Amino acid sequence: MGMLRLVLGDQLTAGMSSLADIDPAADVVLMVEVTEEATYVAHHKQKIVLVLSAMRHFADELRRRGIMVDYVALDDPANTGSFDGEVGRAIARHRPAGLIATEPGEWRVQQMMAGWATAFGLPVDIRTDDRFFASRDRFRCWAQGRRGWRMEHFYREMRREHGLLMDGDEPVGGRWNFDAENRKRLPAGMFLPRRRRFPPDTVTAAVIALVEDRFPSRFGTTGDFGWPVTRADALAALDDFLGSALARFGDYQDAMAADSPFLYHSLLAPALNLGLLGPREVCRAAEAAWRDGRAPLNAVEGFVRQILGWREYVRGIYWTLMPGYAEVNALGAGRPLPAFYWTGETRMRCLREAVATTRRHAYSHHIQRLMVTGNFALLAGIAPREIERWYLAVYADAVEWVEMPNTLGMAVFADGGRMASKPYAASGAYIDRMSDFCDGCAYDVRQKSGPRACPFNYLYWAFLIRNRPALAGNARLAMPYRTLDRWSEAARQRCLDEAEAFLGTLAGGD
Ligand code: FAD
Ligand code: DLZ
Ligand code: SF4
């Protein structure tokens, strides 16, 4: 009797801990496509296609290595539709000596797994996911006893620990952070590289047909599907990024441009989060590009910080603070998510562009997520859980451990500052500075009030007025609060009324 080894849809890595010490003659790998995972949030069609196609390719790869794979497809008539049901059926089929899995990327699934040993009456070995720079325990150890958690401190420790971009004990270039150089607006006519995309092969095409059939009314289109679904494609995507975009990644990291959704971003998050690429190899490859003179330090440090810093930090936050973290709502926000997050029907061009890109590519880059859709949700006081479920649904790279802290902690400040030192709240001036959206907008970014005024302007001040009790003590907000103090009481009330009137015109979404 061999072991049953479960591999989930975001565990598509040859060296997965659940596959270590596998006995190809006796053990069976179980992979299951289940309706429950496609429906617990209303995922974008491309996200379901990505996961299922990558799973099918990975199963083929394992078989080529001589490993037995029991693969249950979504349209298998016997499929029960859940992990619980399919693991139970597979145990009845194979009668294994035990079940081996790697810890999942979601609290919900971890809770499910915790009941399996009892439910199925066999030994269950849940192993650490060692694909990350920092284990869950490593983060806890760092966090323990610290009063405030800040990504920058964690990141420096990780740089030292993993020797990335280090010169002995000091950061290369004499600084830990080159962010100040990474806030340029994209000049008009700037050359943008054509990014390598991966048109559907026969496996992906079959999954697209399946998803269009099973989930026809889901948000998003599949016509532009271009995500890597194999390790080979993911390596080609990495190569493409290093060769064509990394050098300018830093300079234009915060820039936004209509009709240019990708700019110089890596587009690697879906491959990283499914396990087709590892964070270590990606960071090392970027470091090598700097050492070989192919990319400047501000670009490479900025890129490495996103992965070695932010990605690891948010994972630590998620696993340290769950399950309570899902319920945080420090600012008491409760407005329903406006329908335009799904339909894109709004006169605010920045938001229209962000939703259009999201629908077409299951992607928008970080600043669009943070400073457009996220900033609006923050200023409008959207219920944190509603906006959080939206982000989990609509992006190809969305996995709860990374999505939830980014949304609740970074975008809408619902954790009251556990993750970020201040809310990323901004008026229209920020969006105007960093993009070309305002030029073609029905609203005027220079107007502060009135029917043509950019809504971000009065929403920003109304947000500060409304949340004064929670935010006035934040030293990083001292300046805008001093400005507000110079306003008359009547002016503050007018601003609140205007914001309320605008928000009252927004229909709730589904
Ligand atoms: P690049 O800009 O090229 O960055 C390089 C890599 O760094 C990314 O691939 C990613 O792995 C990592 N990275 C960058 N920023 C972050 C960050 N803030 N947190 C964690 N990793 C980061 N990222 C996800 O992978 N999944 C999500 O579900 C997700 N949800 C988000 C929700 C909100 C509200 C916000 C503000 C950010 C979210 N992010 C998420 C982080 C970031 O926006 C995406 O990782 C990035 O846009 C993916 O595109 P890219 O691969 O081109 O990234
Ligand atoms: C996102 C997703 C989807 C849509 N479908 C599946 C699936 O059918 N089978 C599977 O193993 N995983 C799927 N996933 C990814 C899981 O939701 C993910 O593994 C868990 O949330 C744990 O991170
Ligand atoms: Fe967005 Fe305001 Fe600019 Fe319009 S004017 S694109 S609403 S920031």
Side-chain angles (χ1 to χ4, degrees):
M1 259 195 318
M3 304 299 284
L4 188 63
R5 294 171 183 263
L6 177 67
V7 171
L8 300 179
D10 53 0
Q11 300 183 339
L12 309 180
T13 310
M16 209 67 215
S17 58
S18 55
L19 297 176
D21 65 23
I22 190 165
D23 176 355
D27 296 352
V28 172
V29 169
L30 176 68
M31 296 180 72
V32 296
E33 297 179 357
V34 290
T35 315
E36 193 173 80
E37 293 309 298
T39 53
Y40 75 99
V41 287
H43 300 295
H44 191 298
K45 286 178 189 166
Q46 279 194 39
K47 181 175 170 193
I48 307 177
V49 172
L50 170 71
V51 175
L52 301 193
S53 175
M55 284 176 69
R56 291 179 182 200
H57 281 286
F58 187 71
D60 287 344
E61 240 173 82
L62 292 180
R63 288 190 186 109
R64 276 196 292 277
R65 284 170 44 201
I67 292 171
M68 284 185 276
V69 182
D70 182 354
Y71 194 96
V72 182
L74 196 71
D75 49 358
D76 180 335
N79 192 328
T80 56
S82 72
F83 284 143
D84 283 338
E86 286 314 295
V87 169
R89 280 201 322 125
I91 289 170
R93 275 197 301 280
H94 300 287
R95 308 212 162 277
L99 176 69
I100 299 174
T102 295
E103 59 193 8
E106 219 180 295
W107 175 266
R108 173 185 62 90
V109 181
Q110 179 168 279
Q111 293 308 99
M112 227 185 269
M113 285 183 169
W116 285 350
T118 312
F120 302 127
L122 86 179
V124 176
D125 175 9
I126 311 271
R127 298 178 174 176
T128 299
D129 191 342
D130 54 16
R131 295 175 296 176
F132 295 87
F133 283 102
S135 68
R136 297 181 193 179
D137 283 345
R138 176 67 188 86
F139 183 87
R140 267 191 210 104
C141 174
W142 173 82
Q144 229 159 34
R146 279 173 199 264
R147 275 195 28 245
W149 300 345
R150 288 295 164 253
M151 192 287 291
E152 191 65 30
H153 303 149
F154 174 73
Y155 166 60
R156 290 179 190 186
E157 209 162 302
M158 288 292 106
R159 286 263 300 268
R160 284 206 168 96
E161 200 162 302
H162 296 277
L164 260 159
L165 296 175
M166 295 299 294
D167 186 0
D169 206 35
E170 293 303 314
V172 295
R175 274 153 61 192
W176 291 102
N177 185 320
F178 291 79
D179 239 6
E181 291 161 38
N182 291 357
R183 297 190 183 120
K184 298 189 179 72
R185 184 190 162 109
L186 194 74
M190 182 79 184
F191 165 77
L192 286 171
R194 208 178 126 87
R195 304 307 296 279
R196 175 101 194 252
R197 302 291 283 160
F198 302 85
D201 62 6
T202 52
V203 174
T204 304
V207 178
I208 289 176
L210 177 66
V211 168
E212 292 288 1
D213 178 55
R214 284 288 177 104
F215 310 105
S217 56
R218 280 295 170 78
F219 176 79
T221 55
T222 51
D224 289 300
F225 186 92
W227 298 107
V229 291
T230 63
R231 164 94 178 139
D233 285 354
L235 286 169
L238 173 60
D239 234 41
D240 174 60
F241 168 65
L242 296 173
S244 72
L246 174 63
R248 293 201 171 93
F249 173 89
D251 286 355
Y252 304 112
Q253 199 177 342
D254 288 2
M256 297 177 278
D259 305 322
S260 304
F262 305 143
L263 297 174
Y264 303 97
H265 290 273
S266 72
L267 317 182
L268 294 177
L272 276 164
N273 294 349
L274 294 190
L276 301 177
L277 289 174
R280 287 190 189 82
E281 64 184 338
V282 170
C283 288
R284 291 283 171 215
E287 180 181 35
W290 169 68
R291 292 201 186 274
D292 299 349
R294 285 176 285 144
L297 189 52
N298 71 309
V300 172
E301 187 283 314
F303 179 73
V304 166
R305 177 152 30 89
Q306 304 312 312
I307 296 179
L308 177 66
W310 282 112
R311 190 169 183 268
E312 298 284 328
Y313 180 67
V314 300
R315 181 170 181 265
I317 290 199
Y318 178 83
W319 286 111
T320 306
L321 299 181
M322 279 300 274
Y325 200 69
E327 308 304 328
V328 293
N329 189 0
L331 300 180
R335 196 173 286 280
L337 188 71
F340 71 70
Y341 275 80
W342 298 107
T343 63
E345 286 167 18
T346 166
R347 298 195 313 140
M348 290 175 280
R349 187 173 180 215
C350 51
L351 282 157
R352 204 167 61 234
E353 294 276 348
V355 174
T357 300
T358 303
R359 183 188 289 116
R360 182 170 170 203
H361 296 295
Y363 179 85
S364 70
H365 68 67
H366 185 66
I367 294 301
Q368 274 181 306
R369 297 188 203 192
L370 184 64
M371 301 310 294
V372 178
T373 44
N375 185 26
F376 187 88
L378 171 73
L379 301 186
I382 307 299
R385 195 66 171 158
E386 291 209 18
I387 184 69
E388 188 275 312
R389 293 287 97 175
W390 182 81
Y391 280 109
L392 183 60
V394 301
Y395 291 114
D397 55 49
V399 188
E400 196 173 275
W401 63 263
V402 52
E403 175 275 331
M404 187 180 277
N406 267 297
T407 306
L408 298 181
M410 199 189 287
V412 298
F413 206 67
D415 68 359
R418 288 310 289 266
M419 180 165 158
S421 54
K422 74 171 185 99
Y424 284 89
S427 68
Y430 176 86
I431 295 173
D432 189 34
R433 190 164 61 248
M434 297 313 299
S435 80
D436 56 3
F437 296 145
C438 301
D439 296 341
C441 185
Y443 294 103
D444 182 349
V445 73
R446 289 173 303 272
Q447 292 190 34
K448 308 288 176 233
S449 73
R452 283 210 61 230
C454 166
F456 280 89
N457 290 343
Y458 47 78
L459 288 177
Y460 170 75
W461 291 108
F463 165 80
L464 290 177
I465 298 168
R466 230 179 30 245
N467 292 295
R468 182 163 204 141
L471 300 179
N474 187 316
R476 299 191 62 192
L477 293 174
M479 216 154 68
Y481 275 113
R482 272 200 299 275
T483 303
L484 267 181
D485 287 340
R486 291 195 292 271
W487 291 20
S488 68
E489 183 55 37
R492 285 195 289 266
Q493 191 55 49
R494 266 199 308 279
C495 176
L496 282 174
D497 292 345
E498 189 162 18
E500 215 36 52
F502 171 79
L503 292 172
T505 65
L506 301 176
D510 50 4

